Amino acid sequence: MSDRYAVIGNPIAHSRSPFIHARFAAQTGQDLVYDRLLAPLDGFAAAVQAFVESGGCGLNVTVPFKEQAFALAGRRSPRVEAAGAANTLSFDSNGWTAENTDGIGLVRDLTARHGVALAGQRVVVLGAGGAASGVVLPLLEAGVRDVLIVNRTAARAVALASRLAGGAGPQTAVVGRGLDGLDAESAAGALLINATSAGLSDARLPIADEVFAAAAFAYDMVYGARPTAFLAQAAALGCPRQADGLGMLVEQAAESFRLWRGVAPQTDPVYRQLRDEIGRA
Ligand code: NAP
């Protein structure tokens, strides 16, 4: 029987992970099946347990269960500990192991696909939820100079920054503020990363025009057939470069696949296929 994997979330019908992992498996000759698993909002642990008992080998975890995956796992990587959230679970006779591949996915997409040099780079992260929590430590490990976390709820940004500041070197600052604390000066030359879910509803973030004009690169973790509201705003206001999160999606999946199967798939062909698919949808 093929090894079984799945992505678990609620909702889950929209997930592209089965498409991505099926292509990784075909490309690398791995014998596995990968499904979608809809868990009740109050039934994440029971759904994971049932999956494990039926022989499941690993799960990707998406909204809104990443924090629960962190809490339930017996073993956690340092990235999971830093993020307080996990997107990848592996099961073996020793129990559940949690990893967070979102940050590695973002870093690889930025550096390998978009040619962004992260060493010494100033970064502004918009948002302080699960996605923002997962990417800050890998960005610090990639050598960014400082990270400003800004969030609608300022207290969450401040709390996240103080939790993650320990992962920063002596020359690197991690600071948290409310969205109104973001100005052109703090965004000057920065990589501006939208890790809020505002883009899912096409809502515009209350950010001054000068911020976009001052930034060097605008990145939205959300993706779609058209540029998101955030990226359209960035382009219109003079930010020289923009990218959406489709590449991050493929790269974080590739890292989960590598952890589970011990083989790293090629991501570019799958990224291009997915971009075509989304464009046609
Ligand atoms: P989350 O934990 O629910 O956090 C949502 C964040 O967005 C919070 O910081 C929230 O601020 C902020 N927010 C929501 N609506 C807002 C609005 N109208 N104005 C300003 N801020 C708003 O979600 P998440 O797991 O971090 O995911 C965030 C986004 O990243 C989602 O769209 C997700 O699809 C995307 N994502 C993409 C990838 C990828 O591979 N491309 C991977 C992970 C996540 P408050 O704290 O004030 O509520």
Side-chain angles (χ1 to χ4, degrees):
M1 218 169 74
S2 306
D3 290 343
R4 289 178 50 229
Y5 298 86
V7 56
I8 185 168
N10 185 331
I12 201 62
H14 65 286
S15 174
R16 304 277 177 176
S17 293
F19 177 96
I20 296 171
H21 283 276
R23 270 140 196 88
F24 287 165
Q27 186 198 101
T28 56
Q30 295 285 308
D31 182 14
L32 61 87
V33 291
Y34 188 109
D35 297 314
R36 292 184 182 87
L37 205 57
L38 178 70
L41 290 174
D42 60 354
F44 174 72
V48 176
Q49 192 60 44
F51 182 76
V52 176
E53 283 168 8
S54 69
C57 301
L59 285 170
N60 282 131
V61 181
T62 188
V63 177
F65 299 126
K66 289 182 182 181
E67 283 82 7
Q68 287 188 56
F70 161 84
L72 286 168
R75 282 171 298 172
R76 304 174 185 131
S77 73
R79 290 191 180 106
V80 169
E81 292 287 1
N87 75 339
T88 305
L89 291 172
S90 309
F91 312 112
D92 59 27
S93 52
N94 296 319
W96 304 7
T97 303
E99 184 48 275
N100 192 318
T101 65
D102 280 341
I104 298 170
L106 173 68
V107 166
R108 288 197 186 139
D109 189 40
L110 285 167
T111 55
R113 186 162 291 107
H114 299 296
V116 176
L118 288 175
Q121 175 66 51
R122 165 179 287 187
V123 178
V124 176
V125 177
L126 306 161
S133 312
V135 301
V136 174
L137 182 61
L139 286 166
L140 292 170
E141 288 170 347
V144 303
R145 191 180 79 215
D146 53 63
V147 180
L148 172 61
I149 302 169
V150 292
N151 193 45
R152 179 175 60 183
T153 309
R156 284 186 84 189
V158 173
L160 180 60
S162 62
R163 204 172 81 225
L164 293 169
Q171 307 300 321
T172 310
V174 184
V175 173
R177 291 183 196 156
L179 272 177
D180 55 0
L182 179 58
D183 56 19
E185 192 186 339
S186 48
L191 167 61
L192 198 58
I193 299 174
N194 184 15
T196 75
S197 46
L200 293 174
S201 58
D202 258 2
R204 282 190 155 214
L205 291 167
I207 297 175
D209 292 358
E210 305 80 59
V211 167
F212 288 105
F217 197 118
Y219 188 98
D220 198 342
M221 288 195 191
V222 173
Y223 53 84
R226 297 176 291 113
T228 63
F230 175 78
L231 295 181
Q233 213 176 345
L237 293 169
C239 179
R241 297 189 63 198
Q242 308 91 36
D244 73 9
L246 191 69
M248 174 180 172
L249 178 76
V250 176
E251 298 299 335
Q252 61 78 30
E255 180 61 10
S256 296
F257 190 93
R258 190 191 66 77
L259 289 168
W260 289 329
R261 309 302 298 184
V263 51
Q266 299 214 343
T267 52
D268 269 344
V270 180
Y271 171 78
R272 284 196 298 272
Q273 273 183 307
L274 202 49
R275 182 65 78 193
D276 288 347
E277 284 265 320
I278 286 172
R280 279 197 301 271

